[in-house]
Amino acid sequence: MCTSLTTCEWKKVFYEKMEVAKPADSWELIIDPNLKPSELAPGWKQYVEQHASGRFHCSWCWHTWQSAHVVILFHMHLDRARRMGSVRMRVFKQLCYECGSARQDESSMLEENIEGLVDNLITSLREQCYDEDGGQYRIHVASRPDSGPHRTEFCEACQEGIVHWKPSEKLLEEEATAYTFSEASKPRAQAGSGYNFLSLRWCLFWASLCLLAVYLQFSFRSPAFL
C-alpha cells in the first residue's frame, strides 16, 4: 500500500517503464527510509541521484520551499536465475530553516520530474544489473531558480556523508536548450499541412521549373534548321 501520493506516483511510473524496458523480468520498488549509502548486501548495486528537484513541506510551521539539491539513494539487485529484481529507495529529507524544527518532511515532486528520475534509474539498472549500455543520464533543471546556496546543515544527505554537487550553469543551459529544442520540434514534425517548402509537392514543383529553364536555355542557343 502506498504511504503517500508521491510514493504511489513513483511506483506507478517505475512499474510502467520497467514493463517496457524489461518485460521478461519482475521488478519491485520498496521505499526504505533507513537505507544507508554504501552499505550494500552482497550482489547489490548503488545509484545516487544527486541533483533532483523537489518541494519540501514543514508540518510544524507550514513553510514550503523549493530545492534543486534533493538526493535520492537507490540500492538495486537482480536475481538472474529467478528473473526477479528489487530496488530499495530513499529520498533524503531537509530540515525547515524557518522554524528550526527537527521534523524532517519528505519532498514532493511533479510527475514530469519523477518520469525523468525513473528514466535515470532504469539507465543505471541497465548498466549495473544487465551489463548493457544504459544510454544518457538526464539532468533535472529545477522549475524555478535556487534562492541561494545549499545549506548543508539542514540537509539529511549531507549529514550522512553524501557529497552531492550542483550542475554548472553551462551544463544546465545546455540541458535546457536541448530539451527546448526537442519539445519545439515535435509539433513541426507532426504537422502535415501548410506551406512546407520541404514537402514532396514543393520539391517536384521546383524541380519542374529548373528542368523547364534548362530546356528553354538550350532551345534558344541551338541553331535553327533551314
Side-chain angles (χ1 to χ4, degrees):
M1 181 181 294
C2 296
T3 57
S4 70
L5 209 58
T6 304
T7 299
C8 288
E9 190 60 40
W10 268 102
K11 291 189 173 185
K12 172 179 175 292
V13 175
F14 176 76
Y15 293 142
E16 288 176 353
K17 287 183 176 289
M18 284 305 296
E19 183 65 28
V20 174
K22 294 294 175 183
D25 297 339
S26 176
W27 280 86
E28 64 174 348
L29 177 65
I30 301 170
I31 308 299
D32 185 355
N34 299 314
L35 205 62
K36 298 294 183 181
S38 302
E39 294 185 9
L40 297 166
W44 284 72
K45 309 293 183 181
Q46 176 173 289
Y47 168 62
V48 182
E49 180 69 59
Q50 300 186 35
H51 40 70
S53 172
R55 177 178 292 278
F56 288 88
H57 310 266
C58 177
S59 57
W60 184 260
C61 70
W62 302 104
H63 175 61
T64 64
W65 66 97
Q66 182 86 8
S67 176
H69 305 276
V70 182
V71 177
I72 309 172
L73 175 66
F74 299 97
H75 286 181
M76 310 166 290
H77 179 262
L78 171 64
D79 187 335
R80 293 180 180 270
R82 300 172 60 194
R83 304 195 69 91
M84 296 179 64
S86 180
V87 175
R88 306 188 79 86
M89 166 186 166
R90 175 185 178 184
V91 180
F92 287 93
K93 305 172 185 177
Q94 293 183 9
L95 291 171
C96 176
Y97 55 86
E98 286 290 328
C99 68
S101 170
R103 188 190 301 266
Q104 293 181 314
D105 286 358
E106 294 183 4
S107 68
S108 61
M109 299 179 185
L110 297 177
E111 183 177 352
E112 55 265 30
N113 288 340
I114 294 177
E115 293 257 354
L117 292 168
V118 171
D119 285 339
N120 280 359
L121 170 60
I122 293 176
T123 296
S124 184
L125 279 172
R126 286 182 176 275
E127 293 175 350
Q128 299 197 72
C129 296
Y130 291 96
D131 299 320
E132 298 177 354
D133 180 8
Q136 187 174 2
Y137 291 89
R138 175 167 173 76
I139 297 172
H140 302 277
V141 183
S143 58
R144 61 176 65 179
D146 270 343
S147 58
H150 181 55
R151 303 173 69 172
T152 59
E153 67 272 21
F154 293 99
C155 176
E156 187 181 55
C158 291
Q159 299 306 312
E160 297 216 16
I162 295 182
V163 179
H164 52 112
W165 56 278
K166 180 181 179 182
S168 66
E169 295 297 330
K170 182 176 184 297
L171 200 56
L172 290 175
E173 183 179 349
E174 290 174 354
E175 178 70 11
T177 302
Y179 177 77
T180 303
F181 177 78
S182 63
E183 289 297 311
S185 63
K186 288 179 182 178
R188 286 197 293 268
Q190 295 171 355
S193 60
Y195 293 98
N196 183 0
F197 285 91
L198 296 179
S199 66
L200 180 61
R201 286 188 297 175
W202 279 101
C203 288
L204 291 174
F205 173 75
W206 289 111
S208 301
L209 283 182
C210 291
L211 289 174
L212 180 60
V214 172
Y215 172 76
L216 292 175
Q217 184 179 10
F218 279 96
S219 297
F220 283 114
R221 287 185 179 180
S222 59
F225 290 97
L226 299 174

